[in-house]
Amino acid sequence: MATIAATPAHAHESHAHPTGFMSWMSTVDHKRIGTLYLFTALFFFLLGGLEAEIIRMQLQGPNGTLVSAETYNQLFTMHGTTMIFLAIMPLSAAFFNYLIPLQIGARDVAFPRLNAFSYWVYVLGGIFINLSWLLHAAPDGGWFGYAPLTTRAYSPGMNIDFWVLGLQILGVSSLAAGFNFITTIINMRAPGMNLMRMPMFTWAAFVVQFLIVLAFPVITIALVFLMFDRFFGTNFYTTAAGADPLLWQHLFWIFGHPEVYILILPAFGLVSDVLPAHTRKPIFGYPVMVFSLILIAFLGFGVWAHHMFAVGMGPIADTVFGLTTMLIAIPTGVKIFNWIATMHGGSIRFTTACLFCIALVAFFTIGGLSGVMHASPPADLQQTDTYFIVAHFHYVLFGGSMMGLFAGVYHYFPKITGRLLSERIGKWHFWLTAIGMNLTFFPMHMSGLLGMPRRIYRYDAGQGWDGFNLASSIGAYILAVGTLFLVWNIIKSLRSGTRAGNDPWGSPTLEWAIPSPPPEYNFARIPTVTSRYPLWDMKQPALTSEVPHSHRGDKEMEVAVGGKTVGHPHPGPAAQSTRVSESEMHIETETYTPAQVGIVLPDPTVKPFFVALGMVIMLGSPLFMHEAQIREIAGNAAGHRTAMTMFWIFVLGGAALMVGSLYNWLLTPLESDHH
Amino acid sequence: MTSVPLTAGHVPDAHDPHATSTGLDNKKIAIWAFIGSECMLFASLISTYLIYKGRSKVGPFPHETWTDPSTGHKFGAILNIPVTSASTFVLLMSSLAMVLALAAVQNKNIPKRTTSERILGSSQLWLLATAALGITFLGFQAYEFTSFVHEGLSIRTNLFGSSFFTLTGFHGAHVTAGVIWLLTLFAIDRKRGLGPRDEVNVDIAALYWHFVDVVWIAIFTLVYLIK
């Protein structure tokens, strides 16, 4: 066990394990921010799920009467927007935040306060979009918001205003986080943690950040055009003025297709780290797994127009985009086969986390196969805008992303809270989710091929869809029950879960070398890394005998060339003790105050929150401008002036709060001087 | 289970904020990631401008004359290339001043003997000069925008107006942010003096400033010079 010389702990007040509301508002600790992301995103997941349940209740039988057409449009738009931008991306961000510094052996991210800013922009942006429900004006143009349909001429209400402004706000959050994580992964790795030793999840996160910083500016510009069209009368999407009705579609999908990989790759990364721990085998073909991630991301920028085959781009464009799309199936298929090969011959423990990983491999493959089907333009013309497409993307998003994220939740919850989730309740959650998911989405393939269009709020009986729709709705209710088991499991674990200890699963990567939950400073001593699986080297060297190693942490990449391993082969279990002392890898089991181990942590601060608040107020203020325009048209001059006054108060007040807090933040050092 | 004795007196690299994997400052990596992102932002704006070139249903047009069929009013080609060439020169010179400002901060501790060495070594002078040239460029842009509006081209007139004002307006907003950044550095320099330890803070401002300058060269070529 670790020992420590008795040191006079001149503990700084703010570092003495703060609790309470203000400590969460002012935290800059990546682990606490990750925890905030996790629970906020799970909340929005429940909200988006509720919207989906209402949709399925409406469509349960022919001629549903539960909601009006207007409400139905708002429900499916907000279901998509919520699940993509407020649930799956932030759930991934929760793991980025929590795991990246731990997996690479760092004390925090590169810019801790920017990290807090990203979270606050996300949560305030999510609240902003959902405030629209209170005005019965939730966005109703679909999550893709196709212009010209979403221009003022065809969508005069505030619905799309909320969507346009809200998505711009959320984009800022993702971009700020993207710059932060790219810098963190490039620059904050522990000694010896070269790129080809990074855990697969960190690799997936790294690739996703590049997708985010390159794709989000494009939708930002598309949204700026739409905002200018709606508020200032520009002509970007006005076909009467000669505008190209496909401009939005191109800009949106240049963002939108990389976004698909932004949603799925973090789940791929989680599975690639969770599976080895539960099958007790290193990931099969690590370098190929890394390069296929990069290849998927690279190709992902060249396939956007496969979302637009139906608009008539001509045979050459259709062929090129069809082929590039099918090409992506190769690196994706490689990943599927490598996960199967990882399981092959392993001693598999069918824990809940492992079951969710296997579910991803199975269900994502089904979604991937239907994806290859509509990569072919002639097939796509039959399938586009039908429930077949809905079935496809729910198999990749729910069957892929969510299964991977659930696997991550079960695997990492003990690291985050120090307590295990119940395996018994977890199995209920898993089986209800797996059965419910397939019962909900598999029949949609059939109803879609029989011609049921997407986005309809009711349908007539006798078209051959009734049974499939009823099955989908029953599946959705089973999913709801399964999700309640997850909620119950989390509450039960937080109250009385089994203590996890450092490493409940026997995992190979750095985050399991420290206590659960980790101390504020993460690593009392930064480890020196000599292989991809430093903890297995120490505890179960037989498992990593075929993985390249070096004796000391070094910066050279070791690769196997033509069957010949360049670098130092594993010396085998007999030489373990020598190697461990040489590698300087160690396990920390006790938690100290930062002062005891001489670590200076960043000071907590609420400034990032106020910068985010000011920015959201400023970016949301055009809502008043719209109100002023309505009153002007109605001939209400006094009302117009009032609304415009409100607009200027909000835009200038928000800007003042943002800029003031930003200067205050930038001119304050990260850490106060303790000397 | 193996564990290593851990004492407060024996904590290697317990806190060394300057030890990074690449040896570069975090801020430097982040600004390059930011610039990569900004490339996509301006690529979207410039592509839209080029896609919409020649598609406007009504004038005024950038390079061609146009007669309004309803009023018979004749509009000239609206872009004023000589004036914009002058403003482009001003912006290019601001990059030179920025290079000198960064060099002055880096060489702060080298003794200056002659008057020219003192002038070249004055970070305050060159920071202020960069900001002043940026403000001059913005003045040119304000003059250009108002004269266009007087001539009958607003952001609502046609596709050219919408895409031109949005593209150059976004660039102008970036120059404005850069000017505020430079003036902030100037104020810090006046207050406590910027030295070699602040090098990275001036360096990232310079990278941003040069990037905004490069974007303008692309805009000047694609929007103004190519007919």
Side-chain angles (χ1 to χ4, degrees), chain A residues 3 107 187 189 213 236 663, chain B residues 6 14 21-22 26 37 52 184:
Chain A
T3 56
R107 295 233 159 84
N187 230 16
R189 283 167 286 126
V213 302
F236 290 104
Y663 265 84
Chain B
L6 189 73
S21 309
T22 58
N26 283 339
S37 188
Y52 279 171
T184 307

Side-chain angles (χ1 to χ4, degrees), chain B residues 24-211:
Chain B
L24 294 169
D25 193 287
N26 283 339
K27 289 176 185 171
K28 192 119 181 199
I29 308 230
I31 195 80
W32 277 110
F34 176 72
I35 287 173
S37 188
E38 291 272 276
C39 283
M40 291 300 284
L41 189 94
F42 280 105
S44 307
L45 285 163
I46 292 172
S47 316
T48 303
Y49 177 85
L50 293 177
I51 289 165
Y52 279 171
K53 205 171 169 183
R55 289 180 65 131
S56 296
K57 293 266 173 77
V58 294
F61 297 127
H63 301 292
E64 304 85 22
T65 55
W66 181 66
T67 311
D68 188 340
S70 55
T71 61
H73 183 77
K74 200 168 177 342
F75 292 91
I78 203 156
L79 293 181
N80 189 336
I81 293 171
V83 168
T84 316
S85 302
S87 76
T88 305
F89 180 74
V90 167
L91 197 61
L92 285 175
M93 288 306 104
S94 78
S95 262
L96 175 64
M98 187 73 244
V99 170
L100 294 173
L102 177 59
V105 171
Q106 286 166 332
N107 302 326
K108 198 72 141 208
N109 296 341
I110 298 173
K112 318 285 186 300
R113 290 193 207 85
T114 64
T115 314
S116 61
E117 274 180 2
R118 271 193 292 278
I119 292 173
L120 273 176
S122 165
S123 53
Q124 288 184 28
L125 171 69
W126 297 112
L127 283 171
L128 200 58
T130 315
L133 288 164
I135 292 168
T136 311
F137 175 85
L138 289 171
F140 271 106
Q141 195 172 41
Y143 162 77
E144 184 190 39
F145 279 18
T146 43
S147 67
F148 283 8
V149 171
H150 277 292
E151 287 173 51
L153 180 78
S154 81
I155 198 167
R156 315 167 98 150
T157 309
N158 55 14
L159 287 179
F160 166 64
S162 295
S163 53
F164 172 83
F165 282 112
T166 307
L167 167 59
T168 53
F170 253 83
H171 181 265
H174 277 75
V175 176
T176 309
V179 166
I180 295 170
W181 193 348
L182 288 165
L183 290 176
T184 307
L185 286 174
F186 172 75
I188 295 170
D189 200 1
R190 270 191 75 89
K191 197 173 167 207
R192 64 163 175 81
L194 291 172
R197 73 199 162 100
D198 305 297
E199 184 188 329
V200 68
N201 289 324
V202 183
D203 199 358
I204 58 171
L207 278 169
Y208 173 83
W209 191 259
H210 296 317
F211 167 74

Side-chain angles (χ1 to χ4, degrees), chain A residues 132 240 245 259 478 507 580 611:
Chain A
S132 61
E259 170 71 15
I478 296 175
S507 300
V580 168
V611 178

Side-chain angles (χ1 to χ4, degrees), chain A residues 408-623:
Chain A
V409 167
Y410 279 88
H411 189 72
Y412 283 108
F413 199 82
K415 179 51 63 184
I416 294 171
T417 65
R419 291 173 183 276
L420 290 156
L421 286 166
S422 155
E423 280 294 313
R424 196 171 47 84
I425 306 174
K427 294 281 164 52
W428 276 98
H429 172 218
F430 170 76
W431 284 110
L432 288 171
T433 304
I435 293 166
M437 201 223 85
N438 283 288
L439 188 57
T440 308
F441 301 116
F442 203 82
M444 290 183 185
H445 289 111
M446 270 80 94
S447 51
L449 287 180
L450 290 172
M452 180 170 170
R454 292 170 70 179
R455 310 181 197 108
I456 49 165
Y457 82 112
R458 58 165 64 168
Y459 54 91
D460 281 331
Q463 301 181 81
W465 316 332
D466 303 9
F468 294 125
N469 274 292
L470 182 62
S472 289
S473 292
I474 293 171
Y477 308 146
I478 296 175
L479 271 179
V481 177
T483 307
L484 291 180
F485 274 95
L486 173 67
V487 175
W488 178 29
N489 206 350
I490 289 175
I491 294 170
K492 188 165 175 288
S493 166
L494 288 175
R495 286 189 174 172
S496 59
T498 317
R499 294 276 175 195
N502 271 22
D503 179 16
W505 313 113
S507 300
T509 40
L510 287 185
E511 68 270 31
W512 304 98
I514 50 174
S516 312
E520 275 179 282
Y521 49 79
N522 295 353
F523 300 91
R525 242 183 45 174
I526 299 292
T528 298
V529 182
T530 54
S531 88
R532 273 171 212 148
Y533 299 110
L535 262 67
W536 279 356
D537 288 344
M538 288 179 67
K539 297 182 189 173
Q540 288 159 303
L543 292 177
T544 62
S545 55
E546 287 172 12
V547 175
H549 285 74
S550 68
H551 285 286
R552 307 281 300 178
D554 58 57
K555 298 211 165 190
E556 287 160 45
M557 200 196 305
E558 289 161 66
V559 287
V561 185
K564 183 169 171 285
T565 305
V566 182
H568 304 278
H570 196 287
Q576 184 198 356
S577 56
T578 348
R579 193 184 64 259
V580 168
S581 64
E582 278 179 352
S583 78
E584 293 176 36
M585 185 60 220
H586 63 283
I587 287 175
E588 296 173 13
T589 49
E590 281 176 43
T591 299
Y592 309 101
T593 68
Q596 281 176 311
V597 276
I599 295 165
V600 185
L601 288 171
D603 293 325
T605 169
V606 287
K607 286 161 198 161
F609 168 77
F610 283 112
V611 178
L613 184 66
M615 197 193 78
V616 171
I617 291 173
M618 182 181 75
L619 291 180
S621 59
L623 287 175

Side-chain angles (χ1 to χ4, degrees), chain A residues 228-516:
Chain A
F228 280 17
D229 271 13
R230 291 181 67 85
F231 292 107
F232 308 128
T234 54
N235 304 306
F236 290 104
Y237 305 118
T238 315
T239 42
D244 189 335
L246 296 184
L247 177 69
W248 171 274
Q249 292 194 26
H250 279 293
L251 291 175
F252 182 82
W253 288 116
I254 288 173
F255 150 79
H257 202 80
E259 170 71 15
V260 171
Y261 298 111
I262 292 169
L263 295 169
I264 190 66
L265 294 186
F268 281 4
L270 281 170
V271 168
S272 305
D273 275 353
V274 175
L275 257 191
H278 294 263
T279 57
R280 322 216 52 72
K281 266 185 71 192
I283 192 85
F284 184 88
Y286 173 97
V288 182
M289 290 297 264
V290 169
F291 292 128
S292 60
L293 274 176
I294 297 170
L295 199 58
I296 290 172
F298 186 76
L299 291 173
F301 272 100
V303 299
W304 76 89
H306 69 213
H307 296 269
M308 302 162 57
F309 285 146
V311 303
M313 294 178 295
I316 294 174
D318 280 4
T319 311
V320 169
F321 282 104
L323 285 174
T324 52
T325 305
M326 290 180 202
L327 217 52
I328 290 200
I330 297 172
T332 316
V334 163
K335 298 192 84 70
I336 300 282
F337 283 117
N338 281 16
W339 287 319
I340 296 172
T342 304
M343 288 184 269
H344 174 75
S347 39
I348 304 178
R349 288 173 300 175
F350 290 102
T351 55
T352 312
C354 185
L355 288 173
F356 274 113
C357 289
I358 297 169
L360 176 141
V361 176
F363 302 159
F364 182 85
T365 305
I366 298 175
L369 288 174
S370 58
V372 177
M373 284 167 75
H374 40 248
S376 163
D380 182 69
L381 288 180
Q382 296 301 313
Q383 294 158 358
T384 192
D385 277 336
T386 72
Y387 260 82
F388 190 86
I389 303 292
V390 182
H392 158 72
F393 68 69
H394 280 94
Y395 262 92
V396 290
L397 286 182
F398 203 128
S401 302
M402 281 315 298
M403 294 297 149
L405 290 164
F406 282 144
V409 167
Y410 279 88
H411 189 72
Y412 283 108
F413 199 82
K415 179 51 63 184
I416 294 171
T417 65
R419 291 173 183 276
L420 290 156
L421 286 166
S422 155
E423 280 294 313
R424 196 171 47 84
I425 306 174
K427 294 281 164 52
W428 276 98
H429 172 218
F430 170 76
W431 284 110
L432 288 171
T433 304
I435 293 166
M437 201 223 85
N438 283 288
L439 188 57
T440 308
F441 301 116
F442 203 82
M444 290 183 185
H445 289 111
M446 270 80 94
S447 51
L449 287 180
L450 290 172
M452 180 170 170
R454 292 170 70 179
R455 310 181 197 108
I456 49 165
Y457 82 112
R458 58 165 64 168
Y459 54 91
D460 281 331
Q463 301 181 81
W465 316 332
D466 303 9
F468 294 125
N469 274 292
L470 182 62
S472 289
S473 292
I474 293 171
Y477 308 146
I478 296 175
L479 271 179
V481 177
T483 307
L484 291 180
F485 274 95
L486 173 67
V487 175
W488 178 29
N489 206 350
I490 289 175
I491 294 170
K492 188 165 175 288
S493 166
L494 288 175
R495 286 189 174 172
S496 59
T498 317
R499 294 276 175 195
N502 271 22
D503 179 16
W505 313 113
S507 300
T509 40
L510 287 185
E511 68 270 31
W512 304 98
I514 50 174
S516 312

